[in-house]
Amino acid sequence: MKAWTVVTNAEPRDALRLTDQPSPAAAPGSLVLKTLAVALNFPDVLLCRGEYQEKPELPFVPGIELCGIVTGIGDGVTGFRLGERVIATHLGVMAEEVQVPGATAFPAPDSLSDAEAAALCIGYQTGYFGLHRRAGIAPGETLLVHAAAGGVGTAAAQLGKAAGATVIGVVGNEAKRRVAAEAGADIVINRATEDFVEAVNTATGGRGADVIYDPVGGSTFDRSTRCIAFEGRIVVVGFAGGTLQTARMNHALVKNYSLLGLHWALYARKKPGLVTEAHEQLTLLADKGLIRPLVTETVPFASAPDAVQRLGDGRTAGRVVLTL
């Protein structure tokens, strides 16, 4: 079978090579899947560059999120059947066939296409835990989502609307405004031409946002503290801007807001039952039409290097999915 392989740490267009690999067998505790779709994520870019927190030994297969058909079931795995369509998260899924731990797989919602289902897990699980478990978002609150046209941002915007919040999205250019609006943002701010701090404070009558969802970091985080409401919550989910957030705890004390970290993968390791519960809730929301991964591009598997490169260059919006 064919797999995309990182053969050197470089930009994706130079790092990825299509290679022949042996078809996987179902080891104990694992499933074998025939891949239908692979959702691209920013960690795929970082893996190519050698900048991800996990640094697999070269060469390795990237890809961390997919939808596939079960073709093999290892000893000890229960709750799945051959021919079932599932979604899973595991490093090494940018291939025609993959082996994944059974614990990382879940039934694919019938209401979603293969490409949509492939993009359901990481972004929406992160958003669900960030907004509900960490921030405790409530109906009537205001949610500010940074990078609201990206995969993580569109998921948070949809989940915020489903929770009854007013959603303000921040995007980087006019082309991404429509994507954020389609994801459910009531107000969309172009940070290139508008001051999001001023816009948020104006939209909320000076009160500020109750919850701020920040996958960007750096100066975006710093400026967010100027438009956070009394008893507001800032959820830190990443630093895609390239600079780590630096918290001023005296400022949090004076303004009475909370800083909340969200590392979704820790739940899979420490409280996996909560991940299963979150998937069940996300499936219900999808079946009700309240959430749907915003797949803006489906790209043939053969064009993976170009697609990953465009993601790394910031030239994509919504979710980009490889299809087989």
Side-chain angles (χ1 to χ4, degrees):
M1 61 99 182
K2 300 290 187 182
W4 283 104
T5 304
V6 175
V7 297
T8 184
N9 289 136
E11 287 300 303
R13 67 169 68 90
D14 299 316
L16 289 165
R17 295 285 184 277
L18 191 60
T19 61
D20 290 309
Q21 303 276 351
S23 293
S30 73
L31 296 173
V32 172
L33 309 179
K34 179 183 183 299
T35 304
L36 298 173
V38 178
L40 299 184
N41 291 272
F42 198 71
D44 294 319
V45 177
L46 299 179
L47 282 162
C48 289
R49 293 173 177 166
E51 297 175 353
Y52 195 53
Q53 56 259 40
E54 294 183 38
K55 292 181 169 52
E57 182 179 347
L58 294 170
F60 66 89
V61 177
I64 57 176
E65 186 174 31
L66 86 159
C67 176
I69 297 292
V70 177
T71 59
I73 303 174
D75 291 342
V77 179
T78 60
F80 297 96
R81 65 182 187 280
L82 294 176
E84 182 178 4
R85 194 176 68 131
V86 301
I87 62 175
T89 59
H90 186 63
L91 176 60
V93 302
M94 201 176 291
E96 293 176 329
E97 301 172 60
V98 301
Q99 177 182 266
V100 299
T104 69
F106 300 96
D110 293 335
S111 57
L112 301 181
S113 69
D114 295 339
E116 291 167 340
L120 179 67
C121 199
I122 295 175
Y124 284 86
Q125 284 268 353
T126 299
Y128 189 87
F129 276 95
L131 296 180
H132 288 280
R133 186 166 183 87
R134 302 295 283 143
I137 196 167
E141 291 193 313
T142 297
L143 167 66
L144 174 63
V145 178
H146 288 295
V152 171
T154 52
Q158 288 186 3
L159 288 166
K161 287 299 294 182
T166 297
V167 179
I168 302 175
V170 180
V171 298
N173 57 53
E174 283 300 309
K176 294 182 178 181
R177 185 186 293 271
R178 178 190 59 80
V179 176
E182 187 177 345
D186 300 284
I187 300 170
V188 183
I189 301 164
N190 179 355
R191 58 180 168 79
T193 59
E194 304 170 76
D195 181 342
F196 78 79
V197 173
E198 180 180 341
V200 170
N201 285 330
T202 298
T204 60
R207 185 173 56 83
D210 300 290
V211 178
I212 297 179
Y213 193 79
D214 180 20
V216 179
S219 62
T220 294
F221 171 83
D222 294 336
R223 301 193 70 246
S224 292
T225 64
R226 296 169 55 191
C227 59
I228 185 71
F230 172 75
E231 293 196 326
R233 292 86 76 200
I234 301 176
V235 184
V236 175
V237 295
F239 43 94
T243 304
L244 290 169
Q245 297 89 334
T246 302
R248 294 180 295 147
M249 296 313 298
N250 63 317
H251 192 261
L253 183 153
V254 170
K255 290 194 69 174
N256 214 60
Y257 61 83
S258 300
L259 302 175
L260 304 169
L262 189 281
H263 182 189
W264 170 72
L266 284 178
Y267 287 98
R269 294 201 292 269
K270 293 181 176 294
K271 293 191 175 182
L274 293 179
V275 177
T276 301
E277 291 177 13
H279 177 73
E280 293 169 354
Q281 291 302 312
L282 292 171
T283 298
L284 289 173
L285 290 172
D287 290 344
K288 292 177 180 178
L290 295 174
I291 63 170
R292 181 173 293 276
L294 193 54
V295 177
T296 53
E297 292 184 65
T298 55
V299 178
F301 184 71
S303 300
D306 174 69
V308 180
Q309 186 67 55
R310 288 188 294 108
L311 176 62
D313 292 341
R315 294 187 287 122
T316 64
R319 296 306 304 268
V320 179
V321 179
L322 304 178
T323 55
L324 287 82

